[in-house]
Amino acid sequence: YNQLQLALTMLIDAYGRIVNYLRISITDRCDLRCTYCIPKGFHEFEKPEHWLSLDEIERVVRQFAAMGTRRFRLTGGEPLLRKGIVELVTRLKRIDGVEDLSLSTNATQLQHFAHDLRRAGLDRLNVSLDSLSRHGIEKITGFDAKAKVMAGLQAASDAGFVNTKINMVPLQGINDSEIDDMVAFCIKHQFILRLIELMPMGASAQQHQHLDLQPIIARISEQFQLIPSQKTYGGGPARYWQSQDGNFSMGYITPMSQHFCQTCNRVRMAVDGTLYMCLGQEHQYALAPLLKKEVSDADLQAAIQAAIHLKPLQHTFNEEPKKIVRIMSMTGG
Ligand code: SAM
């Protein structure tokens, strides 16, 4: 009966894609100012009175889980800036159906949280790191953050996190010469490396030149003798390559040069409870009014179903590169 019930409530969009992954932004604020994300001097952050409370976030997760969603990620902004993050992880991990709960972080605060997050049941960590040099990190993020980030990565390993992913966004003429160093760093520390193509979200990202990862994939694979891998590490859109001995893996996420919209399985919730159906389109659905009215679970689930039906077929970043004015931290990266 449970299986049948689940099959009936599963989230399926208008194009037949099953949505089973929710990314939750728990703050749109960040302690860094990466050149392609939050512009310096930006202050249009969501007002605290519009943030979903931890109770409301938990309630939304419960509904998604009841409708077959098994993977959840906390992100932002920088999620470690949100008060109560450890408690939230504890509460979400207790929900039936939450099988995989992960977190994306810039790691500046991770040394203070890694152990507690692990104990609270967090399954996996993604750490964003675009450079290994002190100068490079400062140039991209606006802060001399290298020591803190390295301490955060060490704390994560000490706390027992394995298969931690390092996410790097290669930028033309800025850090694209550092990719080889990043590969060597990840081999040494047993991190999974992912290179992600920059998407033109907001003026900050649109000011950067487009960088196609395809030639880089070919070059790195040859240089480090990597072979195509069947691994998926959580079922995201990255295509993986691995070393001959299988000890090192790296993946590529190529929304621009080879998009994967036909297999998109995710939606995102911003800190104000707005569901965004696609990073590259405006389709959205505000859950906050329903949460404030304390509607029934059935009504909330019906609203989520309706939202999923708005999910567009694909992004049009290549055709309309100036269309999206939302920066990544507003939607939740
Ligand atoms: N602060 C956390 C972190 O650093 O991982 C979570 C949020 S951050 C917005 C998530 C990821 O989005 C980072 O890896 C960042 O590099 C990436 N990102 C931001 N803007 C992007 C863009 N326009 N295109 C592709 N990735 C972007």
Side-chain angles (χ1 to χ4, degrees):
Y1 172 70
N2 274 343
Q3 285 298 326
L4 180 63
Q5 198 177 27
L6 192 62
L8 291 173
T9 53
M10 217 140 77
L11 292 168
I12 302 177
D13 77 3
Y15 300 96
R17 293 170 296 195
I18 295 174
V19 172
N20 52 19
Y21 181 21
L22 176 66
R23 297 172 70 104
I24 307 159
S25 170
I26 59 172
T27 178
D28 59 345
R29 293 166 196 241
C30 190
D31 54 338
L32 300 181
R33 289 291 179 271
C34 296
T35 54
Y36 55 86
C37 194
I38 305 180
K40 279 202 189 77
F42 179 87
H43 43 72
E44 291 147 50
F45 293 107
E46 197 55 70
K47 294 191 194 85
E49 58 264 37
H50 293 163
W51 299 353
L52 292 196
S53 65
L54 300 190
D55 286 343
E56 288 165 336
I57 294 170
E58 183 181 351
R59 181 143 192 245
V60 172
V61 168
R62 226 176 257 292
Q63 310 315 315
F64 271 88
M67 290 185 285
T69 299
R70 295 290 167 260
R71 293 178 59 205
F72 297 85
R73 172 175 298 277
L74 302 176
T75 180
E78 173 46 46
L80 297 184
L81 298 184
R82 178 77 190 253
K83 249 194 214 138
I85 169 79
V86 175
E87 183 198 336
L88 181 64
V89 168
T90 306
R91 286 162 64 169
L92 298 187
K93 278 300 286 186
R94 283 200 197 117
I95 295 174
D96 251 0
V98 176
E99 284 170 7
D100 182 50
L101 180 65
S102 56
L103 176 104
S104 288
T105 177
N106 61 31
T108 60
Q109 309 289 318
L110 191 55
Q111 55 181 318
H112 309 300
F113 287 98
H115 281 87
D116 289 346
L117 288 170
R118 188 77 194 136
R119 223 171 296 131
L122 186 73
D123 293 293
R124 294 181 301 118
L125 278 173
N126 283 9
V127 172
S128 303
L129 187 60
D130 291 333
S131 171
L132 287 169
S133 80
R134 212 176 138 183
H135 175 67
I137 290 176
E138 182 160 14
K139 199 169 65 179
I140 295 171
T141 70
F143 289 86
D144 181 9
K146 178 169 178 178
K148 283 185 186 167
V149 171
M150 293 300 149
L153 283 171
Q154 184 61 50
S157 297
D158 293 347
F161 284 103
V162 293
N163 286 340
T164 297
K165 290 174 186 156
I166 301 286
N167 287 338
M168 176 184 194
V169 177
L171 303 165
Q172 182 88 52
I174 296 177
N175 65 349
D176 53 341
S177 62
E178 297 185 50
I179 295 171
D180 298 30
D181 289 350
M182 195 65 86
V183 174
F185 174 80
C186 290
I187 290 175
K188 181 169 170 209
H189 294 280
Q190 295 183 305
F191 297 131
I192 298 166
L193 175 61
R194 275 125 47 95
L195 302 185
I196 303 174
E197 277 174 355
L198 184 71
M199 288 167 272
M201 301 183 66
S204 51
Q206 288 159 14
Q207 70 175 339
H208 284 279
Q209 229 177 306
H210 172 62
L211 182 93
D212 184 342
L213 282 185
Q214 302 300 338
I216 294 177
I217 297 175
R219 182 180 67 73
I220 295 279
S221 305
E222 189 178 314
Q223 190 172 328
F224 289 89
Q225 299 188 331
L226 305 179
I227 51 177
S229 160
Q230 299 308 314
K231 290 186 182 140
T232 60
Y233 296 106
R239 284 170 299 127
Y240 283 95
W241 296 68
Q242 63 182 37
S243 56
Q244 316 267 346
D245 62 9
N247 287 337
F248 169 68
S249 295
M250 74 179 285
Y252 299 90
I253 302 181
T254 55
M256 303 299 291
S257 65
Q258 193 174 17
H259 77 78
F260 35 81
C261 302
Q262 64 285 355
T263 58
C264 185
N265 63 346
R266 62 199 55 199
V267 294
R268 295 173 167 83
M269 184 166 73
V271 65
D272 67 349
T274 303
L275 289 175
Y276 286 95
M277 299 302 130
C278 172
L279 282 178
Q281 300 288 1
E282 298 293 352
H283 306 71
Q284 53 188 271
Y285 194 106
L287 287 182
L290 298 158
L291 292 164
K292 306 297 169 199
K293 268 194 281 176
E294 299 187 21
V295 299
S296 68
D297 284 353
D299 286 352
L300 202 47
Q301 290 184 19
I304 293 170
Q305 295 269 12
I308 298 299
H309 256 258
L310 300 175
K311 192 169 164 63
L313 183 58
Q314 57 189 54
H315 71 68
T316 45
F317 280 132
N318 288 305
E319 298 82 351
E320 304 171 275
K322 300 276 176 200
K323 174 165 135 175
I324 298 299
V325 298
R326 282 184 334 258
I327 52 178
M328 183 68 103
S329 71
M330 291 165 75
T331 320

